[in-house]
Amino acid sequence: MRVIGLMSGTSCDAIDAAAADLGIEGDTVVLTPLGDIECAFPGGLRRELLAALPPSSTTMAAVCRLDTLLGQALAAAADRADRELCAGEAELVVSHGQTCYHWTEDGRVRGTLQLGQPAWITERTGRTVVSDLRPRDVAAGGQGAPLVSALDVLWLRGRPGAPVALNLGGIANITVAHGAHGPLAYDTGPANVLLDTAVRELTGGRADHDADGALAAAGTVCRPLLDRLLAEPYYARPAPKTTGRELFNAAYLRTALAGFGHLPAEDVLATLTELTARTVADAVRAAGGTEVIASGGGTRNPVLLARLALALDGVPVRVSDELGLPSGAKEAYAFALLGFLTALGLPGTVPACTGARHARVLGSVTPGRGGPPPRPWDVPAPVRLRVSRGAPRTGPSQDPQIGIGNAY
Ligand SMILES: Nc1ncnc2c1ncn2[C@@H]1O[C@H](COP(=O)(O)OP(=O)(O)OP(=O)(O)O)[C@@H](O)[C@H]1O
Ligand SMILES: [Mg+2]
């Protein structure tokens, strides 16, 4: 089945669209990447979105407007991905939408809100859309995140030791696929969100990220500031746990910097980069991680990767591309997989990772022009995932007769 995954993460940098051919072979789900594209937010949408996110307050009118404009932007991205990556033959679109609020209280997630009305995607592309994947896991007692953990656990099965998948998005999250502490997944803390916020604040909005870590490379870590940041109680909380802009935002940064006078921008960036490296490395160590497979925009920051390698003290770091999944679009591929599982009526969560009571079939379905893709009956859940570099399969999407083992 040709599936398009759409993702816009905490950084609000762009919409990632990834296309994959997905099928079931025995006990394995086979994912053949067809390519991925990055689609800029149109006009002033990104500015409008950032202005509405925490710590700002907003209005229902603004929420309605964002839901509509994001839905239309996601529709344009899906349409482009269908034409450019799927030769117009995509069968399913899976849209994460834009997280606008992740409601946590005392370590529990009470609700999570992703905007980007899927009707616009179906109306423009004619395809069935699976959207709103997080709330079902929350309703089942989970954190609703990190949902990429389902892909990681299947994908890294059979790798020796305790492999750790790391995503350096706005927030950093890890999946410990197996080993003495796994499976386990959680947000370790900020990856790029505080770096981007600091750059915006310190350059008066002239820049929106520390390109190639140039500022951090020119600065010195300010130990007292790092100690203050590391005292954040979130880091000591037990997993499963998730976080976002509700905690790590511009107001948080201003409070942290209070009393440090005129710290040069370079030193602030060096310190925040070290904070990400330290908190990730501490999490990997606590989980007994034997290797780190990294993805996300943070892998394009050589200073962050170098500091992480130092903090990991010998635990090797490789990028997910080495294992076949493009690091810039891994989350979009993960959502393509989750929607595919939904189309088969299969659960898309690992309860040990999200903290849910049960694995659940995720999402809401907006039927396409010809109705949703026919659902084969009794496809047992796969137990592993193989990324294929070969040509995508042709012919029937998957064989419902194949007998495979149980999930998770
Ligand atoms: N060349 C670069 N140098 C430094 N940082 C970069 C570079 N390219 C990208 N980034 C960082 O990566 C961020 C985007 O990463 P990504 O798209 O993975 O995050 P995201 O959208 O928050 O995703 P998610 O929350 O789903 O993981 C940018 O905001 C920027 O901070
Ligand atoms: Mg992004």
Side-chain angles (χ1 to χ4, degrees), residues 198-199 202-203 215-216 218-222 225 257 260-272:
V199 170
L202 297 168
T203 65
L215 288 170
T220 307
V221 173
C222 171
L225 174 59
L257 290 173
F260 281 97
H262 292 293
L263 211 53
E266 289 82 356
D267 291 2
V268 174
L269 268 300
T271 308
L272 292 172

Side-chain angles (χ1 to χ4, degrees), residues 44-45 48 59-72 115:
L45 180 54
E48 198 172 325
T59 63
M60 288 309 292
V63 169
C64 181
R65 198 180 136 82
L66 281 174
D67 193 37
T68 301
L69 297 180
L70 284 165
Q72 292 168 347
L115 296 183

